[in-house]
Amino acid sequence: AQTVTQSQPEMSVQEAETVTLSCTYDTSESNYYLFWYKQPPSRQMILVIRQEAYKQQNATENRFSVNFQKAAKSFSLKISDSQLGDTAMYFCAFIDNAGNMLTFGGGTRLMVKP
Amino acid sequence: GAVVSQHPSWVICKSGTSVKIECRSLDFQATTMFWYRQFPKQSLMLMATSNEGSKATYEQGVEKDKFLINHASLTLSTLTVTSAHPEDSSFYICSARDPGAGGDYEQYFGPGTRLTVT
């Protein structure tokens, strides 16, 4: 079974600064997909960024980028130029190539301070 | 992007009654939908996988007789909490996979339903 671990329950960052959220996972699969989801106070799950394991290039979406280290099974999220609207719970998630089940990490609560 | 709706967004029911939550994919056909439960300040816990036209697959520890799931069409799945008790109070989230979106297996999430059992 796959597991996803987020070791930082809570983090805070000053507005306009950069913050990195950590995620590690465990799997015996060679091909899979990784995601970062944001859950703001509204509790709507929002996809932030995705990464296919077979791609070596790290995914980037505007101010959000990942550092994907396949050998280390690490998938961290970097948020640049943090904004107040980035305050939310962030979940790292894994799905295997069969797409059977999305496994979530425990989440990191990020607070962006003005 | 793909949109998933849930209804109701918030429901209060009395202990012993049943409540139904609907999950709809609005602009795509979802052969597979998922139901999650989320306690305050915790992660999402998968309850069951719902496949159109067949029985749902429940995760270990989830009572299938208590949480009835029906996926009668390609755009609608329902979760019925039967004989609800206060411990069933939680936030329930559905998601749907768009088979037409290619092989990335992204799931699109509904806005969630807050259930309070008094």
Side-chain angles (χ1 to χ4, degrees):
Chain A
Q2 292 84 10
T3 59
V4 179
T5 302
Q6 294 178 247
S7 59
Q8 305 149 315
E10 292 187 3
M11 293 191 72
S12 64
V13 63
Q14 291 295 133
E15 195 176 7
E17 294 188 347
T18 296
V19 64
T20 298
L21 309 183
S22 301
C23 173
T24 58
Y25 58 94
D26 187 25
T27 182
S28 58
E29 303 286 333
S30 59
N31 199 17
Y32 46 86
Y33 302 85
L34 295 162
F35 305 89
W36 277 98
Y37 283 93
K38 169 185 177 181
Q39 189 180 40
S42 68
R43 303 191 78 170
Q44 170 73 59
M45 295 288 285
I46 301 167
L47 177 65
V48 175
I49 199 166
R50 72 167 68 86
Q51 174 82 43
E52 294 91 338
Y54 64 87
K55 290 187 177 179
Q56 293 185 336
Q57 186 172 6
N58 289 323
T60 299
E61 288 287 342
N62 300 315
R63 297 184 294 108
F64 300 88
S65 61
V66 298
N67 183 1
F68 174 49
Q69 301 290 327
K70 190 173 184 179
K73 297 180 181 176
S74 171
F75 182 60
S76 61
L77 174 70
K78 185 172 80 172
I79 305 174
S80 304
D81 185 25
S82 296
Q83 300 176 359
L84 296 178
D86 295 334
T87 292
M89 280 288 288
Y90 286 82
F91 293 102
C92 178
F94 169 104
I95 196 165
D96 64 23
N97 199 38
N100 291 326
M101 176 177 158
L102 194 59
T103 301
F104 286 92
T108 296
R109 182 175 301 277
L110 176 66
M111 173 72 73
V112 180
K113 298 179 178 179
Chain B
V3 179
V4 175
S5 69
Q6 267 183 257
H7 178 79
S9 57
W10 193 3
V11 57
I12 302 173
C13 70
K14 292 186 177 181
S15 186
T17 63
S18 296
V19 61
K20 180 185 287 187
I21 302 170
E22 294 185 347
C23 177
R24 294 182 184 273
S25 57
L26 299 185
D27 50 3
F28 65 99
Q29 293 183 326
T31 53
T32 304
M33 290 184 172
F34 305 86
W35 286 95
Y36 296 87
R37 184 173 181 176
Q38 186 180 32
F39 290 105
K41 298 186 178 182
Q42 293 189 24
S43 188
L44 281 71
M45 180 190 75
L46 180 65
M47 298 176 65
T49 301
S50 170
N51 294 300
E52 186 267 338
S54 64
K55 291 183 178 180
T57 302
Y58 290 82
E59 294 302 303
Q60 190 173 8
V62 177
E63 299 177 61
K64 59 182 66 178
D65 293 331
K66 180 167 192 60
F67 298 100
L68 300 179
I69 291 172
N70 183 277
H71 194 158
S73 78
L74 286 172
T75 59
L76 174 65
S77 176
T78 59
L79 168 66
T80 301
V81 183
T82 62
S83 186
H85 291 285
E87 56 266 31
D88 298 325
S89 298
S90 191
F91 193 67
Y92 294 87
I93 304 174
C94 74
S95 70
R97 197 160 69 202
D98 181 359
D104 65 358
Y105 302 112
E106 179 181 345
Q107 291 184 18
Y108 301 93
F109 287 84
T113 297
R114 183 185 303 277
L115 170 63
T116 301
V117 184
T118 61

